Amino acid sequence: LTSPMVNGVAGRTVSLFNRRGGSGDNLNNTRFDDEASTPIANGVAPFAGSFRPETALSAFDGLNTAGGWILRITDNARGDVGRLTNLQFI
């Protein structure tokens, strides 16, 4: 997740999760929250509930939130196909 560019300066990037879940699939009603009791690294697919992201979202504290945010999703596993069906920022 990358925050908006401000005055020509690239936004800050935070990794929500990376290569988690093994052969399991899906994030269902998953919330990334720095205050969650379980790190995403300790979660099990399908991920449901609140998890601490790989990189703390507090990295965005104090930044301007106005503008275009970028959520980059990649699936690097062979033979896998994924899709984003619903996303909500709160």
Side-chain angles (χ1 to χ4, degrees):
L1 179 63
T2 302
S3 64
M5 181 181 292
V6 177
N7 298 327
V9 177
R12 190 168 293 161
T13 299
V14 162
S15 177
L16 300 175
F17 70 103
N18 186 24
R19 297 186 180 273
R20 301 293 178 192
S23 62
D25 294 322
N26 300 330
L27 284 84
N28 298 319
N29 296 315
T30 305
R31 174 181 286 206
F32 291 100
D33 181 350
D34 287 351
E35 304 303 318
S37 59
T38 305
I40 192 71
N42 293 350
V44 177
F47 297 94
S50 293
F51 296 92
R52 284 195 317 268
E54 301 277 346
T55 307
L57 294 167
S58 61
F60 297 129
D61 287 357
L63 298 181
N64 183 354
T65 59
W69 288 74
I70 298 169
L71 177 63
R72 188 177 70 182
I73 301 169
T74 58
D75 186 343
N76 297 318
R78 279 188 254 169
D80 248 352
V81 176
R83 71 174 179 255
L84 177 64
T85 57
N86 189 355
L87 173 69
Q88 181 181 18
F89 287 97
I90 52 172

